[in-house]
Amino acid sequence: MEATEAISGVDVGRLEVEDRDLPGSPNWVARFTILEGDPDGQFSIRTDPKTNEGVLSIVKALDYESCEHHELKVSVENEAPLQAAAPRAEWGQARVHVHVQDTNEAPVFQENPLRTSLAEGAPPGTLVATFSAQDPDTEQLQRLRWGS
C-alpha cells in the first residue's frame, strides 16, 4: 500500500478476507486489529460492513523523512466466537507494508512567533532580528527564498 506524507483522515487500502459463513451474520463479520508496527497510533483499521474487508486509514499524518516505510502486523477474527466443533483456524494474521510517498513541504521557522524589541530612536538600518528557517525535506535539496 502507498500513502502520501503529511495527510491524515484518508483510507490507504483494503485487506480482503475469505469467510464461508452467511454474509452479514455475526459468524461472517470480521474484526481487524493492528498488533504491531504502529507505536504512535498513526493508523486505524475498520471493517467495511458491505464487503467485510479491513479498511486501513491514516489518523495521524506520516513523515517521509522520519520513516519512509511502515510494516504493520494485522490480525483478523470473527465477531462471534467460534464453536467448539469449528476448524481451529481461529484467526489470521497478515503483514501489511505501507510505503510513504515524499511531498514538498513548506519551510518552518525555528521560532514562531519571533519576539524582539528595538530601542526608541534607533537609527535607520539597525538590525532588529535574524530569522532562521529550515526545510523539512532532507531528500529534496532546495533553496529558501525570503520575501516581505
Side-chain angles (χ1 to χ4, degrees):
M1 298 181 185
E2 291 189 356
T4 303
E5 79 170 323
I7 296 177
S8 62
V10 296
D11 295 342
V12 176
R14 292 175 169 258
L15 289 91
E16 294 181 25
V17 295
E18 180 183 341
D19 193 307
R20 295 184 186 117
D21 289 307
L22 178 66
S25 72
N27 295 334
W28 175 79
V29 176
R31 290 290 174 240
F32 295 85
T33 305
I34 298 173
L35 298 175
E36 296 175 8
D38 189 25
D40 298 326
Q42 295 177 292
F43 298 92
S44 72
I45 191 163
R46 68 185 187 282
T47 303
D48 182 324
K50 293 179 182 173
T51 64
N52 210 30
E53 295 171 319
V55 182
L56 185 66
S57 303
I58 298 174
V59 293
K60 291 183 184 175
L62 305 173
D63 182 24
Y64 175 86
E65 285 73 28
S66 65
C67 185
E68 62 185 75
H69 177 260
H70 294 267
E71 183 177 313
L72 307 174
K73 184 176 181 181
V74 177
S75 72
V76 62
E77 57 188 341
N78 287 113
E79 181 179 83
L82 293 178
Q83 300 300 315
R88 294 307 330 154
E90 198 167 309
W91 50 273
Q93 292 184 0
R95 294 234 176 248
V96 178
H97 299 269
V98 180
H99 298 277
V100 181
Q101 296 174 335
D102 194 14
T103 60
N104 188 8
E105 298 168 273
V108 179
F109 283 104
Q110 300 300 322
E111 288 185 63
N112 191 6
L114 177 65
R115 299 195 190 281
T116 189
S117 61
L118 181 63
E120 184 177 347
T126 300
L127 181 64
V128 176
T130 302
F131 292 93
S132 178
Q134 178 181 351
D135 189 342
D137 290 316
T138 57
E139 299 292 319
Q140 299 179 18
L141 299 177
Q142 300 179 64
R143 291 178 30 171
L144 299 180
R145 184 177 55 168
W146 300 86
S148 56

